[in-house]
Amino acid sequence: MSTGKPAKILKTIKENETTTTVVLDVEDERFSSFSPGQFATIRIMENGEWSRPHPFTISGAPGEKLQMTIKGNGHFTSELIPSLTGASKIQCAGPFGAFCKDIAYREEVVMVAGGVGITPFLSVLRHFRKTGAKNTCTLFWCNKTFADAFAASELEEIATHINLTVIHVLSRETNPNMYYEDDKPHIRFEKGHFSRDMLARHIHSTTASFYLCGPSAMQQTVLDGLTAYGIAPDAVEKEAFVYNGA
């Protein structure tokens, strides 16, 4: 991959205690026409030297300033990323990848995200919101607690504009239904880990297009559930989300 083009930090947004969104202006016209689901690499100048390139999924919609939502895990992501300012020296390269390449053409879409693996699907859904997409979309977002679901309010808003149902799968909440509100029928909650039975409660078709992004252990759990439901693992489009931020 190339070292990248100069970029300027427009702002950083603290999503929660561990997750930061970085908004950039990049001197590269290729970013004006990226596809939802793609990623970019960034390098930061530290102590007079450029870091090696670090890859992150683009979380914003095409046509907007480039943004990446990054969970802290290591020096680069936990210390350098949150401390970025407009004066920081940064390079950005991309866009790369083909995850979710044809998702806009799928009539029924099921997305399963683990933690910050939501980022490619945020890009997709923000794009769908802008374009008024007619797809039937279901998003399973697996987190430990509802507090980890940093984009929950935005997803609620998106669900009022497109045909989107969001199921928050919460493994460490004793009563996740306490968050349920009658006037938000497209926002639902499940306790535990993703499973075949959970899928069956919300999806009534095996012909939908399935997309999966999250840590490797979570991906295997999801694939086991999909297989038990009758979805072949090789029919699921997967994005390996294993970068450790070191």
Side-chain angles (χ1 to χ4, degrees), residues 175-191:
N175 181 26
N177 280 324
M178 67 181 291
Y179 301 108
Y180 179 79
E181 298 180 41
D182 290 338
D183 62 343
K184 298 175 181 177
H186 294 294
I187 308 299
R188 304 173 186 175
F189 296 86
E190 290 278 359
K191 177 182 177 180

Side-chain angles (χ1 to χ4, degrees), residues 98-209:
F99 185 52
C100 300
K101 179 181 178 182
D102 298 318
I103 196 169
Y105 305 104
R106 308 299 183 184
E107 182 176 348
E108 183 176 0
V109 173
V110 178
M111 298 164 280
V112 186
V116 78
I118 189 67
T119 50
F121 303 134
L122 282 179
S123 182
V124 167
L125 293 172
R126 286 165 172 167
H127 177 62
F128 283 0
R129 164 71 171 86
K130 287 180 62 178
T131 60
K134 303 301 181 183
N135 317 58
T136 297
C137 301
T138 304
L139 169 67
F140 292 86
W141 191 6
C142 307
N143 284 293
K144 294 176 181 177
T145 70
F146 191 44
D148 296 320
F150 56 85
S153 295
E154 182 181 2
L155 289 171
E156 289 179 11
E157 192 275 336
I158 292 174
T160 67
H161 293 276
I162 65 172
N163 188 4
L164 168 67
T165 298
V166 180
I167 299 100
H168 291 284
V169 182
L170 306 173
S171 62
R172 295 188 183 178
E173 294 277 8
T174 56
N175 181 26
N177 280 324
M178 67 181 291
Y179 301 108
Y180 179 79
E181 298 180 41
D182 290 338
D183 62 343
K184 298 175 181 177
H186 294 294
I187 308 299
R188 304 173 186 175
F189 296 86
E190 290 278 359
K191 177 182 177 180
H193 297 280
F194 186 93
S195 67
R196 183 254 179 227
D197 292 342
M198 191 180 295
L199 181 66
R201 283 193 286 274
H202 302 282
I203 302 296
H204 306 292
S205 168
T206 58
T207 60
S209 297

Side-chain angles (χ1 to χ4, degrees), residues 231-238:
I231 309 299
D234 58 3
V236 181
E237 186 169 336
K238 300 173 285 292

